[in-house]
Protein backbone atom coordinates (compact mmCIF):
# COMPACT_ATOMS: atom_id res chain seq x y z
CA UNK A 1 0.00 0.00 0.00
CA UNK A 2 2.82 2.36 0.91
CA UNK A 3 4.57 1.59 -2.39
CA UNK A 4 1.39 2.34 -4.37
CA UNK A 5 1.08 5.70 -2.63
CA UNK A 6 4.75 6.38 -3.25
CA UNK A 7 4.59 5.66 -6.99
CA UNK A 8 1.25 7.46 -7.31
CA UNK A 9 2.80 10.59 -5.79
CA UNK A 10 5.88 10.31 -8.03
CA UNK A 11 3.66 9.97 -11.11
CA UNK A 12 1.67 13.05 -10.15
CA UNK A 13 4.87 15.00 -9.52
CA UNK A 14 6.20 14.02 -12.94
CA UNK A 15 3.04 15.48 -14.47
CA UNK A 16 3.67 18.72 -12.59
CA UNK A 17 7.03 19.11 -14.28
CA UNK A 18 5.50 18.60 -17.73
CA UNK A 19 3.21 21.65 -17.61
CA UNK A 20 4.07 25.27 -18.29
CA UNK A 21 1.09 26.82 -16.45
CA UNK A 22 0.51 26.97 -12.69
CA UNK A 23 0.12 23.45 -11.30
CA UNK A 24 -0.51 22.50 -7.69
CA UNK A 25 -0.40 19.09 -6.07
CA UNK A 26 -1.56 18.53 -2.49
CA UNK A 27 -0.70 15.36 -0.57
CA UNK A 28 -2.46 14.72 2.72
CA UNK A 29 -1.54 12.53 5.71
CA UNK A 30 2.19 12.71 5.12
CA UNK A 31 4.93 12.68 7.72
CA UNK A 32 7.79 15.13 8.01
CA UNK A 33 10.14 12.32 6.92
CA UNK A 34 8.11 11.75 3.76
CA UNK A 35 8.15 15.47 3.09
CA UNK A 36 11.95 15.59 3.36
CA UNK A 37 12.28 12.70 0.89
CA UNK A 38 10.04 14.49 -1.62
CA UNK A 39 11.91 17.73 -1.03
CA UNK A 40 15.19 15.97 -1.72
CA UNK A 41 13.75 14.48 -4.90
CA UNK A 42 13.08 17.96 -6.24
CA UNK A 43 16.57 19.29 -5.53
CA UNK A 44 17.82 20.96 -8.67
CA UNK A 45 14.31 21.35 -10.12
CA UNK A 46 14.26 25.08 -10.79
CA UNK A 47 11.00 26.87 -9.99
CA UNK A 48 9.33 24.10 -7.97
CA UNK A 49 8.19 25.28 -4.53
CA UNK A 50 7.33 22.87 -1.74
CA UNK A 51 5.42 23.52 1.48
CA UNK A 52 4.61 21.44 4.55
CA UNK A 53 2.32 21.92 7.52
CA UNK A 54 0.21 19.66 9.72
CA UNK A 55 0.70 16.51 7.63
CA UNK A 56 -0.04 18.21 4.30
CA UNK A 57 2.51 18.65 1.52
CA UNK A 58 1.85 21.24 -1.19
CA UNK A 59 3.94 21.20 -4.36
CA UNK A 60 3.66 24.22 -6.62
CA UNK A 61 4.98 24.60 -10.15
CA UNK A 62 4.47 28.31 -10.95
CA UNK A 63 3.46 29.29 -14.46
CA UNK A 64 4.31 32.37 -16.51
CA UNK A 65 1.63 34.65 -14.99
CA UNK A 66 2.63 33.65 -11.48
CA UNK A 67 6.27 34.49 -12.10
CA UNK A 68 5.35 37.76 -13.83
CA UNK A 69 3.38 39.06 -10.86
CA UNK A 70 5.87 37.95 -8.23
CA UNK A 71 8.72 39.61 -10.15
CA UNK A 72 6.86 42.91 -10.63
CA UNK A 73 5.77 43.00 -6.98
CA UNK A 74 9.30 42.35 -5.79
CA UNK A 75 10.75 44.98 -8.13
CA UNK A 76 8.36 47.72 -6.97
CA UNK A 77 8.85 46.95 -3.29
CA UNK A 78 12.63 46.97 -3.69
CA UNK A 79 12.44 50.22 -5.66
CA UNK A 80 10.47 51.78 -2.80
CA UNK A 81 12.97 50.61 -0.18
CA UNK A 82 15.99 51.78 -2.19
CA UNK A 83 14.49 55.20 -2.90
CA UNK A 84 13.62 55.62 0.78
CA UNK A 85 17.11 54.63 1.86
CA UNK A 86 15.91 51.60 3.83
CA UNK A 87 18.36 48.72 4.15
CA UNK A 88 16.90 45.33 3.28
CA UNK A 89 18.03 41.81 2.54
CA UNK A 90 16.09 39.96 -0.17
CA UNK A 91 15.54 36.27 0.55
CA UNK A 92 13.50 35.41 -2.54
CA UNK A 93 12.03 31.91 -2.39
CA UNK A 94 14.48 30.55 0.15
CA UNK A 95 13.21 27.67 2.27
CA UNK A 96 11.92 28.72 5.69
CA UNK A 97 11.67 25.77 8.04
CA UNK A 98 10.81 24.77 11.56
CA UNK A 99 12.07 21.22 11.98
CA UNK A 100 9.25 18.66 12.06
CA UNK A 101 6.53 21.31 11.95
CA UNK A 102 6.44 23.57 8.91
CA UNK A 103 8.30 24.49 5.74
CA UNK A 104 7.52 27.20 3.18
CA UNK A 105 8.97 28.82 0.07
CA UNK A 106 7.29 32.18 -0.45
CA UNK A 107 7.46 33.92 -3.82
CA UNK A 108 9.37 36.83 -2.28
CA UNK A 109 10.76 37.34 1.24
CA UNK A 110 12.63 40.19 2.91
CA UNK A 111 14.51 41.10 6.02
CA UNK A 112 14.25 44.80 6.80
CA UNK A 113 17.40 46.12 8.44
CA UNK A 114 19.35 43.24 9.94
CA UNK A 115 18.95 39.50 9.40
CA UNK A 116 17.02 37.50 11.98
CA UNK A 117 15.86 33.91 12.32
CA UNK A 118 13.05 34.32 9.76
CA UNK A 119 12.36 37.07 7.20
CA UNK A 120 10.18 39.97 8.31
CA UNK A 121 7.96 39.74 5.25
CA UNK A 122 6.82 36.87 3.04
CA UNK A 123 4.77 37.42 -0.12
CA UNK A 124 2.78 34.83 -2.05
CA UNK A 125 1.02 35.11 -5.39
CA UNK A 126 -2.13 33.01 -5.13
CA UNK A 127 -3.92 31.52 -8.14
CA UNK A 128 -5.66 28.81 -6.13
CA UNK A 129 -7.76 28.94 -2.97
CA UNK A 130 -6.45 28.47 0.53
CA UNK A 131 -4.89 31.76 1.67
CA UNK A 132 -6.22 31.26 5.19
CA UNK A 133 -4.66 27.79 5.42
CA UNK A 134 -1.34 29.16 4.17
CA UNK A 135 -1.28 31.57 7.09
CA UNK A 136 -1.13 28.68 9.54
CA UNK A 137 2.23 27.48 8.28
CA UNK A 138 3.65 31.02 8.38
CA UNK A 139 2.36 31.34 11.95
CA UNK A 140 4.21 28.13 12.84
CA UNK A 141 7.34 29.67 11.32
CA UNK A 142 6.84 32.97 13.15
CA UNK A 143 6.91 35.27 10.08
CA UNK A 144 5.87 38.76 11.31
CA UNK A 145 4.00 39.81 8.17
CA UNK A 146 2.53 37.93 5.19
CA UNK A 147 1.09 39.45 2.01
CA UNK A 148 -1.05 37.62 -0.55
CA UNK A 149 -1.61 38.88 -4.09
CA UNK A 150 -4.87 37.41 -5.36
CA UNK A 151 -7.40 38.55 -7.96
CA UNK A 152 -5.65 41.88 -8.47
CA UNK A 153 -5.54 42.85 -4.79
CA UNK A 154 -3.23 42.53 -1.80
CA UNK A 155 -4.33 41.01 1.50
CA UNK A 156 -1.93 41.87 4.33
CA UNK A 157 -1.65 40.03 7.65
CA UNK A 158 0.42 40.94 10.70
CA UNK A 159 1.26 38.39 13.39
CA UNK A 160 0.00 39.31 16.84
CA UNK A 161 0.54 37.10 19.90
CA UNK A 162 -1.37 34.02 18.73
CA UNK A 163 -2.77 34.76 15.28
CA UNK A 164 -2.59 36.92 12.19
CA UNK A 165 -4.68 40.06 11.97
CA UNK A 166 -5.82 41.51 8.64
CA UNK A 167 -4.30 44.95 8.13
CA UNK A 168 -4.52 47.48 5.30
CA UNK A 169 -1.09 49.08 5.59
CA UNK A 170 2.17 47.39 6.53
CA UNK A 171 3.30 47.69 10.14
CA UNK A 172 6.91 46.80 9.33
CA UNK A 173 9.48 49.57 9.85
CA UNK A 174 10.27 51.03 6.45
CA UNK A 175 7.04 49.92 4.79
CA UNK A 176 4.48 51.81 6.87
CA UNK A 177 4.39 54.63 4.29
CA UNK A 178 3.84 52.33 1.32
CA UNK A 179 0.43 52.94 -0.27
CA UNK A 180 -0.89 49.41 -0.85
CA UNK A 181 -3.69 50.55 -3.17
CA UNK A 182 -1.15 52.35 -5.33
CA UNK A 183 1.10 49.29 -5.33
CA UNK A 184 -1.85 47.16 -6.51
CA UNK A 185 -2.67 49.68 -9.24
CA UNK A 186 0.90 49.73 -10.53
CA UNK A 187 1.18 45.94 -10.53
CA UNK A 188 -1.91 45.85 -12.76
CA UNK A 189 -0.58 48.62 -15.01
CA UNK A 190 2.57 46.54 -15.46
CA UNK A 191 0.56 43.96 -17.40
CA UNK A 192 0.35 46.52 -20.20
CA UNK A 193 3.49 48.59 -19.66
CA UNK A 194 6.29 47.99 -17.20
CA UNK A 195 7.73 51.43 -17.93
CA UNK A 196 4.43 53.19 -17.21
CA UNK A 197 3.95 51.17 -14.02
CA UNK A 198 7.37 52.16 -12.67
CA UNK A 199 6.90 55.79 -13.72
CA UNK A 200 3.54 56.01 -11.94
CA UNK A 201 4.87 54.27 -8.85
CA UNK A 202 7.98 56.40 -8.62
CA UNK A 203 6.14 59.71 -9.14
CA UNK A 204 3.26 58.95 -6.79
CA UNK A 205 4.68 56.71 -4.05
CA UNK A 206 8.19 58.12 -3.96
CA UNK A 207 8.22 61.53 -5.64
CA UNK A 208 5.22 62.80 -3.70
CA UNK A 209 6.84 62.15 -0.34
CA UNK A 210 10.29 63.39 -1.29
CA UNK A 211 9.06 66.79 -2.45
Amino acid sequence: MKQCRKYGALSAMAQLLNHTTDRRLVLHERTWEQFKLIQKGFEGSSGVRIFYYNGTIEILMPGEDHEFFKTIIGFLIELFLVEKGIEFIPAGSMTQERQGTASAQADESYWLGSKRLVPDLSIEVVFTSGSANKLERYKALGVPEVWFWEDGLFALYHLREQSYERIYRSELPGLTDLDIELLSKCVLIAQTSRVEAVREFRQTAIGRESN
Side-chain angles (χ1 to χ4, degrees):
M1 181 65 177
K2 286 184 179 179
Q3 278 199 329
C4 289
R5 289 178 66 184
K6 174 184 175 183
Y7 290 120
L10 289 174
S11 175
M13 287 186 281
Q15 291 177 30
L16 272 178
L17 294 173
N18 288 331
H19 288 84
T20 57
T21 57
D22 248 20
R23 294 291 171 178
R24 178 173 172 260
L25 173 65
V26 179
L27 306 172
H28 299 286
E29 298 180 7
R30 298 303 199 269
T31 65
W32 178 259
E33 290 70 25
Q34 289 172 317
F35 162 71
K36 296 305 288 185
L37 284 173
I38 290 174
Q39 187 184 56
K40 185 174 180 60
F42 274 106
E43 284 181 357
S45 299
S46 177
V48 178
R49 292 177 198 137
I50 309 176
F51 307 80
Y52 178 88
Y53 178 70
N54 197 28
T56 297
I57 299 171
E58 179 184 350
I59 306 168
L60 175 67
M61 185 72 171
E64 184 178 336
D65 288 346
H66 191 121
E67 294 297 89
F68 172 84
F69 283 114
K70 82 104 178 176
T71 301
I72 291 297
I73 291 167
F75 178 81
L76 293 176
I77 289 173
E78 290 174 26
L79 175 63
F80 181 86
L81 293 170
V82 167
E83 294 287 346
K84 293 297 181 181
I86 299 162
E87 291 291 349
F88 67 96
I89 304 170
S93 299
M94 76 163 215
T95 301
Q96 304 173 41
E97 260 182 22
R98 182 178 174 188
Q99 183 70 25
T101 302
S103 180
Q105 290 179 295
D107 288 300
E108 298 288 354
S109 297
Y110 297 95
W111 283 284
L112 299 176
S114 59
K115 186 179 287 189
R116 287 167 285 280
L117 187 61
V118 296
D120 298 295
L121 171 63
S122 288
I123 304 169
E124 277 200 41
V125 174
V126 179
F127 279 101
T128 56
S129 60
S131 296
N133 293 333
K134 296 176 191 294
L135 278 174
E136 291 301 311
R137 63 187 176 221
Y138 284 111
K139 182 174 74 173
L141 293 167
V143 178
E145 206 161 282
V146 181
W147 299 5
F148 295 110
W149 169 260
E150 186 174 8
D151 297 329
L153 295 170
F154 281 101
L156 280 61
Y157 297 88
H158 194 89
L159 185 61
R160 304 302 183 196
E161 290 185 5
Q162 298 296 329
S163 63
Y164 281 100
E165 180 182 326
R166 177 72 185 272
I167 57 175
Y168 297 90
R169 186 175 288 268
S170 177
E171 296 182 10
L172 296 173
L175 287 175
T176 54
D177 292 334
L178 177 58
D179 185 333
I180 300 300
E181 288 187 9
L182 174 66
L183 178 61
S184 300
K185 175 185 174 182
C186 291
V187 171
L188 293 173
I189 291 173
Q191 293 178 92
T192 304
S193 171
R194 274 60 63 196
V195 172
E196 184 59 34
V198 173
R199 181 183 293 120
E200 171 74 13
F201 187 74
R202 177 177 275 126
Q203 289 177 347
T204 308
I206 300 166
R208 177 180 59 196
E209 294 177 11
S210 61
N211 290 335

PDB file of all heavy atoms in Angstrom, residues 16 19 57 85 112 146:
ATOM      1  N   LEU A  16       3.462  17.317 -12.940  1.00  0.00           N
ATOM      2  CA  LEU A  16       3.673  18.722 -12.586  1.00  0.00           C
ATOM      3  C   LEU A  16       4.775  19.328 -13.435  1.00  0.00           C
ATOM      4  O   LEU A  16       4.663  20.439 -13.937  1.00  0.00           O
ATOM      5  CB  LEU A  16       4.079  18.836 -11.111  1.00  0.00           C
ATOM      6  CG  LEU A  16       2.992  18.958 -10.045  1.00  0.00           C
ATOM      7  CD1 LEU A  16       3.646  18.995  -8.684  1.00  0.00           C
ATOM      8  CD2 LEU A  16       2.136  20.174 -10.259  1.00  0.00           C
ATOM      9  N   HIS A  19       4.126  20.576 -17.261  1.00  0.00           N
ATOM     10  CA  HIS A  19       3.211  21.652 -17.606  1.00  0.00           C
ATOM     11  C   HIS A  19       3.910  23.006 -17.488  1.00  0.00           C
ATOM     12  O   HIS A  19       4.810  23.185 -16.683  1.00  0.00           O
ATOM     13  CB  HIS A  19       1.980  21.629 -16.692  1.00  0.00           C
ATOM     14  CG  HIS A  19       1.046  20.498 -16.972  1.00  0.00           C
ATOM     15  ND1 HIS A  19       1.227  19.234 -16.454  1.00  0.00           N
ATOM     16  CD2 HIS A  19      -0.071  20.435 -17.737  1.00  0.00           C
ATOM     17  CE1 HIS A  19       0.246  18.446 -16.887  1.00  0.00           C
ATOM     18  NE2 HIS A  19      -0.555  19.148 -17.650  1.00  0.00           N
ATOM     19  N   ILE A  57       1.444  18.188   2.397  1.00  0.00           N
ATOM     20  CA  ILE A  57       2.510  18.654   1.522  1.00  0.00           C
ATOM     21  C   ILE A  57       1.867  19.339   0.312  1.00  0.00           C
ATOM     22  O   ILE A  57       0.962  18.774  -0.313  1.00  0.00           O
ATOM     23  CB  ILE A  57       3.397  17.493   1.031  1.00  0.00           C
ATOM     24  CG1 ILE A  57       4.073  16.795   2.219  1.00  0.00           C
ATOM     25  CG2 ILE A  57       4.450  17.990   0.042  1.00  0.00           C
ATOM     26  CD1 ILE A  57       4.783  15.504   1.853  1.00  0.00           C
ATOM     27  N   GLY A  85      15.881  54.811   1.102  1.00  0.00           N
ATOM     28  CA  GLY A  85      17.109  54.628   1.865  1.00  0.00           C
ATOM     29  C   GLY A  85      16.989  53.621   2.989  1.00  0.00           C
ATOM     30  O   GLY A  85      17.675  53.732   4.012  1.00  0.00           O
ATOM     31  N   LEU A 112      14.111  43.350   6.800  1.00  0.00           N
ATOM     32  CA  LEU A 112      14.247  44.804   6.798  1.00  0.00           C
ATOM     33  C   LEU A 112      15.236  45.181   7.883  1.00  0.00           C
ATOM     34  O   LEU A 112      15.032  44.861   9.060  1.00  0.00           O
ATOM     35  CB  LEU A 112      12.892  45.478   7.040  1.00  0.00           C
ATOM     36  CG  LEU A 112      11.837  45.150   5.971  1.00  0.00           C
ATOM     37  CD1 LEU A 112      10.499  45.766   6.340  1.00  0.00           C
ATOM     38  CD2 LEU A 112      12.279  45.614   4.598  1.00  0.00           C
ATOM     39  N   VAL A 146       2.734  38.715   6.410  1.00  0.00           N
ATOM     40  CA  VAL A 146       2.533  37.934   5.192  1.00  0.00           C
ATOM     41  C   VAL A 146       1.574  38.695   4.283  1.00  0.00           C
ATOM     42  O   VAL A 146       0.539  39.181   4.737  1.00  0.00           O
ATOM     43  CB  VAL A 146       1.946  36.535   5.506  1.00  0.00           C
ATOM     44  CG1 VAL A 146       1.760  35.738   4.213  1.00  0.00           C
ATOM     45  CG2 VAL A 146       2.841  35.773   6.478  1.00  0.00           C
TER      46      VAL A 146
END
